Amino acid sequence: MKLNRKLLAQMRSATRTLWGTAPGGPGAAVRHAMKSASAVQKETQRQMQRQMRDFAVPFTTPFTAPEAPPLQGASRPRTTFAGGFIDASFANAAGRRDYKLYVPASYTGAPAPLVVMLHGCGQDPDDFAKGTGMNLLAEEVGCLVLYPAQSSSANASRCWNWFSAVDQRRDQGEPSIIAGMTREVMRQHAVDPGQVYVAGLSAGGAMATIMGTLYPDLYAAVGVHSGLPFASAHDLPSALAAMKGDFRRAQAPGRVLPIIVFHGDRDTTVHPANGDELVRHLTQPGTAEPGRVPDGHAYTRTLYPGDDGIIRAEHWLVHGAGHAWFGGNARGSYTDDRGPDASREMMRFFRTRR
């Protein structure tokens, strides 16, 4: 029996299972990936390996739920869809990456929003889609969701290389691949160019910051979950320092984009100071609003207006929470179902940027 997708979206909070992923798990993947991606001296590697042993937590295999049938023929635009994933890839001079594009059943071919979702270390598009529940929200609002996939050849633990100097430059490295992939989807499908957004978790959150900073002409707003500021590191040692809260304060090029930030105040993988730094540049003081999810986490949401009084940024500090996607589904890795619902709040924030 098929459930109506909108009904399923409304019921999802009642059907989540208990959070079973240790919050320290991503730390091992991040550190291992950065070690394998950087040509540092052997003594430095031995020191980092000793640190990583303290964070070594094995990945668990998430339950595989039935998904909508995949769509065939990703190379040509369509006017109507049954709803499902398109598998494709994009290549340029910087390399090739696979991706998945979710097209909701509610999509009719009229210009729609596009959300680019950058997964964390050890994840892939399917896992990230399950954990965030973003595809269910896509059915509600009628938007497309693009999931770029990091390759194990580019990073052994499939982390985005946010700490590499070449991957912090416009039209170079991984930013050029993600931006090119975004533009390809926009060419092949009816996308509203004023409603293209980028979000990510952990290493993906750091890369989302990079994408929003380097391509303000492409992305209208940014969502950063447990991530890091732009150019907060340039190699392995500085990346490990940044994750502990000791980061470089680089001058971000271009204008400041609207941003929504989520961070747990007990995150032992990426220090909460990184979340503070993401909104530090805003000129107007913020207004703090405390709250609590029923039977879940307490949080403090701070709203930052621009000089015109319009809210430019939101910072959600979730109390007692670690390194996991808040409001996520335990079928995906690194999720915390005690809320708040980061996916829904990001989508709300994005939709107000029109």
Side-chain angles (χ1 to χ4, degrees):
M1 179 178 67
K2 285 189 175 181
L3 288 176
N4 179 275
R5 288 184 176 270
K6 292 185 179 180
L7 176 60
L8 183 59
Q10 295 168 354
M11 293 173 61
R12 76 188 189 287
S13 62
T15 58
R16 292 195 184 101
T17 58
L18 291 176
W19 177 31
T21 304
V30 173
R31 287 161 173 76
H32 175 73
M34 291 188 296
K35 179 173 70 63
S36 63
S38 304
V40 298
Q41 297 177 349
K42 291 184 178 180
E43 178 59 28
T44 302
Q45 291 178 347
R46 285 194 292 270
Q47 294 175 2
M48 299 311 166
Q49 287 170 347
R50 285 195 294 270
Q51 294 177 10
M52 286 188 288
R53 293 190 192 104
D54 296 333
F55 291 92
V57 177
F59 287 102
T60 57
T61 302
F63 171 74
T64 302
E67 296 288 345
L71 299 176
Q72 303 298 320
S75 60
R76 63 180 184 276
R78 297 161 180 257
T79 56
T80 59
F81 292 87
F85 263 138
I86 292 173
D87 291 282
S89 64
F90 174 83
N92 63 11
R96 174 184 296 273
R97 297 293 187 278
D98 294 334
Y99 67 84
K100 283 200 167 187
L101 176 69
Y102 186 77
V103 182
S106 54
Y107 177 68
T108 62
L114 172 65
V115 179
V116 181
M117 294 287 286
L118 301 173
H119 63 74
C121 297
Q123 296 181 313
D124 60 29
D126 292 290
D127 181 19
F128 200 39
K130 288 185 180 78
T132 61
M134 193 60 77
N135 292 354
L136 296 177
L137 286 175
E139 292 290 351
E140 292 185 18
V141 303
C143 75
L144 307 178
V145 189
L146 169 62
Y147 297 90
Q150 177 63 305
S151 67
S152 57
S153 62
N155 187 292
S157 291
R158 299 197 304 276
C159 301
W160 297 102
N161 292 307
W162 59 272
F163 53 89
S164 172
V166 71
D167 295 307
Q168 299 173 24
R169 299 171 186 164
R170 182 180 171 105
D171 298 334
Q172 294 189 38
E174 290 177 353
S176 73
I177 298 174
I178 297 169
M181 191 181 293
T182 303
R183 294 189 181 107
E184 179 174 89
V185 169
M186 295 173 69
R187 287 192 299 269
Q188 295 179 348
H189 300 80
V191 172
D192 182 346
Q195 296 189 70
V196 180
Y197 315 102
V198 60
L201 169 66
S202 193
M207 185 56 73
T209 306
I210 292 171
M211 297 307 299
T213 301
L214 298 181
Y215 295 92
D217 53 323
L218 184 58
Y219 303 104
V222 182
V224 181
H225 201 308
S226 310
L228 298 98
F230 173 77
S232 54
H234 61 279
D235 56 15
L236 170 61
S238 61
L240 290 175
M243 291 169 65
K244 295 177 180 178
D246 180 15
F247 37 73
R248 299 192 308 169
R249 285 184 165 88
Q251 181 64 39
R255 68 182 181 90
V256 177
L257 280 177
I259 187 170
I260 180 168
V261 177
F262 285 85
H263 220 112
D265 64 5
R266 293 188 183 177
D267 190 333
T268 58
T269 301
V270 178
H271 195 280
N274 286 277
D276 297 332
E277 182 68 12
L278 283 163
V279 295
R280 184 184 63 85
H281 59 275
L282 298 168
T283 59
Q284 298 296 324
T287 302
E289 299 179 349
R292 177 180 288 276
V293 178
D295 300 319
H297 288 299
Y299 60 84
T300 300
R301 180 178 73 149
T302 304
L303 306 178
Y304 294 89
D307 295 335
D308 55 4
I310 298 175
I311 299 300
R312 300 296 182 188
E314 293 187 16
H315 180 203
W316 293 67
L317 184 64
V318 183
H319 306 303
H323 195 73
W325 189 276
F326 305 136
N329 191 313
R331 292 183 302 172
S333 63
Y334 307 119
T335 60
D336 181 349
D337 68 354
R338 298 183 63 199
D341 191 337
S343 296
R344 186 170 293 277
E345 296 297 342
M346 281 188 183
M347 189 69 77
R348 171 195 54 78
F349 183 80
F350 292 161
R351 298 283 282 170
T352 63
R353 300 302 101 190
R354 288 182 290 181

